[in-house]
Amino acid sequence: MRAFATAAEMFPRRSGTGGAVRRIVAASTEIRVRRGVAALSLFLLFWYVAVSLKGWLGIDVPWVGRLPSPGSVFAAWLGLIGDPGYWQSAYLSFMRVMIGFLAAMLVGIPVGLAAAINRYFYDVFYPSFEILRPIPPLAWVPLSLIFWPTQEMSIASVTFLGAFYTIVINVISGARSIDVRLIRAAQSMGATRWHLFWKVVLPATLPSIVTGAAVGMGITWEVVVAAEMISTGGHAGGGGLGFFIWNSYVGGSLQQIVVGMISIGIAGYVSSALIRLLGHALMPWLRLR
Amino acid sequence: MHRRGAARAGEGRAHVVLSRVAKGFGFDAAREEVVADLDFEIPPGQLTALVGPSGCGKTTIANLVAGYETPDQGEIRLDGAPIRAAGSERMLVFQESALFPWLTTYRNLTFGPLLRRTKPVAEIHAEAKRLLQLVGLSAFADKYPAQLSGGMQRRAELARAMMMEPRLMIMDEPFRGLDAMTRELMQLSFLRLFDTFRRTNLFITSEIEEAILLADRLVLLSNRPARVRAVISIELPRPREIGMLSSRQAFDYKRQALEILHDEALRGFVRGGDV
């Protein structure tokens, strides 16, 4: 389920020659980091050139040419670093993502597992789930604003929905695709239903849970920003990076819009990376394959 | 205290009798009989090899004896008691690895015994170390299954099954898919294990030579639905060695078995069955 192939995977199992293989792996990791840095630099260069072409040669590059230059965005970001409002926005969005995401994990994992192993629960639960699932979380914004007493709760509940469906679907499909031989082997060794659940179904589903979490995390960032834009910000229950971007748009600061966008990108990348790291720590057997 | 000596002498040697066993899958027009009117015996302390054309229903027989499936007709008795569900006195070693990927080799071995705790934990650990040594995996105790080669995985699985001290071992083409060299090594190491414990064994294979090398009796099966075509007693002395396969005696067994199986294969071919 890993999102990317580990360097060790490119080499045969059992690093028999020890040091040599490890050195190659380390070197290849370094190469891959350099590739990433080079690609990012190229991206920035392309952005810079596209924006500057009008000034240099009078060529108006469509779409990209209208962006603020990377330098001015960086300057805007430097100006915002000392601004507690910017950090407050990032903090608010981050907290909303975390609350929605953790609630979705807390509810989604048991519900998914129950649906996967209990036919009755599945029959009762799944039809409603499948009808509700295609409704975009953002379509819930008006109702949730009416339903919840505070705006904070409305945003959190919409974020929750963003991750919830993905997590449940992943858990169900993961728990259902367990190799029947593993179940049978455990049964032969005297496993009770309790043992089967805790010692076979759960560890076997773990990779799917982590995948669901990583994808769900991405969706919560998408949802939280959109929810913040729709909800009125500024006072209690408002704010966040979504509102920050909207506010910058209303205020006409192109640079700040881009700063807000990049901030979300980085925050989402870091959150997903954290989940992947946690997944690696929980599932050492996948790393070593 | 667990009576290990006694376990080895008597408890490890179940006597299994299949009488008039039938099993099919599907309904009405899609119904297919996989096993029909199957009668044979697995004598205690012996290795009975089940040999038949591929797709003839060997795996279904393994699942029936293991208790994962129940017969539609007839019954399977282990020391007189009918088999109705999976049980730890019968261990099945699967065609492909069924080791738990999330457990190290060592923890795969101790998984079953630690669930049931029928004997002191210290003894379980001692037994796990002993068996790992016996199958040559001591150095790989802390590796995950994915880090083991195919041959190592089969040996680990064999050791895991032995940990349960079953009265019957069922092995469903356990060496299938291994290269010739590894396969030969596995057969020898398995023979050593079998001679040490002498647990009743039902060994399923499609390789006649493998069956002759390992077994006390060959049970030759027909095409689907599987019936017993012939039973051949293998009188080669134990301990067995690879060299015995080139003896006159082994050659006769092989010719005898091949004639019957060839006949079956042809019939299956003419009928358009899976040969």
Side-chain angles (χ1 to χ4, degrees):
Chain A
M1 60 38 76
R2 286 147 308 149
F4 52 85
T6 60
E9 203 175 60
M10 296 182 219
F11 299 94
R13 295 166 182 165
R14 283 176 288 138
S15 47
T17 43
V21 171
R22 221 163 291 138
R23 241 172 293 137
I24 295 169
V25 169
S28 97
T29 309
E30 200 180 300
I31 287 168
R32 297 182 61 219
V33 169
R34 271 193 232 158
R35 259 184 228 150
V37 172
L40 274 177
S41 313
L42 259 176
F43 174 77
L44 283 175
L45 184 70
F46 171 76
W47 178 6
Y48 176 71
V49 170
V51 170
S52 311
L53 270 179
K54 187 162 192 184
W56 293 344
L57 304 165
I59 301 170
D60 196 357
V61 181
W63 199 77
V64 193
R66 307 240 179 97
L67 284 174
S69 76
S72 69
V73 169
F74 187 67
W77 182 67
L78 280 182
L80 284 167
I81 275 187
D83 181 357
Y86 167 72
W87 291 109
Q88 176 69 7
S89 298
Y91 169 78
L92 276 175
S93 292
F94 182 76
M95 285 315 285
R96 285 165 186 157
V97 163
M98 278 305 145
I99 291 168
F101 172 76
L102 289 177
M105 291 283 280
L106 232 56
V107 181
I109 294 172
V111 163
L113 284 170
I117 61 180
N118 187 310
R119 186 181 309 225
Y120 298 103
F121 181 71
Y122 182 87
D123 288 347
V124 171
F125 162 81
Y126 203 65
S128 338
F129 178 78
E130 275 300 276
I131 289 173
L132 292 176
R133 194 164 65 92
I135 302 173
L138 290 180
W140 286 96
V141 169
L143 261 192
S144 66
L145 285 175
I146 297 167
F147 186 74
W148 295 98
T150 72
Q151 203 170 37
E152 200 58 55
M153 287 166 117
S154 319
I155 296 178
S157 74
V158 173
T159 343
F160 164 85
L161 286 177
F164 177 72
Y165 296 122
T166 312
I167 289 167
V168 171
I169 286 289
N170 269 282
V171 172
I172 291 181
S173 76
R176 288 199 151 191
S177 59
I178 297 176
D179 191 337
V180 70
R181 287 171 309 174
L182 297 182
I183 304 272
R184 285 180 164 179
Q187 278 173 336
S188 277
M189 290 188 277
T192 59
R193 281 182 69 83
W194 177 260
H195 289 139
L196 276 183
F197 178 78
W198 289 103
K199 294 184 180 272
V200 182
V201 174
L202 204 58
T205 314
L206 204 53
S208 304
I209 294 177
V210 173
T211 308
V215 179
M217 176 60 91
I219 299 176
T220 46
W221 273 105
E222 290 170 25
V223 170
V224 82
V225 168
E228 286 167 351
M229 284 186 177
I230 294 167
S231 66
T232 50
H235 45 79
L241 285 172
F243 181 73
F244 175 85
I245 292 175
W246 195 251
N247 211 25
S248 306
Y249 168 71
V250 173
S253 169
L254 230 54
Q255 283 82 2
Q256 282 199 14
I257 294 178
V258 178
V259 169
M261 289 168 70
I262 293 175
S263 305
I264 293 163
I266 292 172
Y269 179 75
V270 169
S271 328
S272 297
L274 283 178
I275 289 176
R276 273 201 297 271
L277 275 177
L278 192 70
H280 279 216
L282 282 173
M283 306 179 292
W285 69 91
L286 286 183
R287 231 183 328 172
L288 299 163
R289 187 163 290 171
Chain B
M1 188 59 203
H2 191 73
R3 296 164 298 128
R4 181 173 291 162
R8 229 165 267 159
E11 289 169 27
R13 302 185 179 183
H15 182 197
V16 179
V17 180
L18 288 84
S19 39
R20 308 188 66 78
V21 171
K23 178 75 181 173
F25 296 98
F27 296 99
D28 302 330
R31 171 90 184 163
E32 195 179 350
E33 302 301 331
V34 178
V35 174
D37 227 5
L38 189 71
D39 277 292
F40 72 93
E41 199 178 324
I42 309 170
Q46 286 197 17
L47 194 146
T48 302
L50 215 52
V51 189
S54 66
C56 80
K58 297 190 293 282
T59 296
T60 303
I61 298 172
N63 284 336
L64 286 167
V65 178
Y68 298 139
E69 314 265 8
T70 47
D72 296 336
Q73 282 163 44
E75 63 179 359
I76 305 171
R77 286 175 178 270
L78 187 144
D79 289 341
I83 290 172
R84 294 212 171 86
S88 57
E89 82 281 4
R90 287 161 278 133
M91 292 305 300
L92 191 146
V93 175
F94 293 86
Q95 255 175 36
E96 275 93 32
S97 170
L99 295 167
F100 299 118
W102 52 87
L103 296 180
T104 60
T105 310
Y106 187 82
R107 284 176 177 276
N108 260 291
L109 259 67
T110 55
F111 178 90
L114 286 180
L115 281 186
R116 303 185 311 150
R117 300 271 169 105
T118 47
K119 57 181 179 181
V121 174
E123 211 175 303
I124 293 173
H125 287 293
E127 185 67 11
K129 284 178 188 127
R130 197 172 79 90
L131 272 166
L132 272 182
Q133 190 151 29
L134 218 54
V135 297
L137 288 177
S138 295
F140 296 87
D142 296 325
K143 300 284 183 195
Y144 289 94
Q147 293 171 290
L148 304 179
S149 69
M152 290 178 182
Q153 288 180 5
R154 312 294 165 93
R155 277 183 277 158
E157 193 146 5
L158 207 57
R160 182 174 74 171
M162 305 283 289
M163 283 294 291
M164 302 304 294
E165 300 185 344
R167 297 159 70 196
L168 171 70
M169 291 274 286
I170 308 159
M171 304 185 52
D172 186 7
E173 305 205 37
F175 308 141
R176 182 181 171 154
L178 298 177
D179 61 88
M181 192 68 197
T182 312
R183 192 171 184 135
E184 201 175 292
L185 290 173
M186 288 293 298
Q187 288 164 345
L188 290 175
S189 112
F190 169 68
L191 273 172
R192 223 172 47 232
L193 268 181
F194 178 72
D195 286 334
T196 310
F197 295 95
R198 276 268 156 189
R199 294 188 199 286
T200 308
N201 196 306
L202 176 64
F203 194 102
I204 293 170
T205 180
S206 45
E207 300 270 317
I208 295 174
E209 292 209 340
E210 178 172 85
I212 293 170
L213 177 66
L214 303 178
D216 297 297
R217 292 164 80 242
L218 302 191
V219 175
L220 301 178
L221 297 173
S222 68
N223 278 308
R224 207 176 255 220
R227 286 190 179 86
V228 176
R229 278 295 317 268
V231 176
I232 304 174
S233 280
I234 305 292
E235 312 277 352
L236 295 172
R238 284 186 190 275
R240 302 267 173 91
E241 288 153 27
I242 295 282
M244 290 178 184
L245 279 179
S246 37
S247 70
R248 176 81 214 177
Q249 213 180 347
F251 182 75
D252 284 343
Y253 290 139
K254 190 178 169 184
R255 207 197 43 207
Q256 211 181 330
L258 270 177
E259 260 167 34
I260 296 163
L261 287 177
H262 185 71
D263 199 35
E264 271 308 318
L266 262 184
R267 248 189 267 186
F269 191 73
V270 170
R271 277 207 320 245
D274 173 12
V275 181

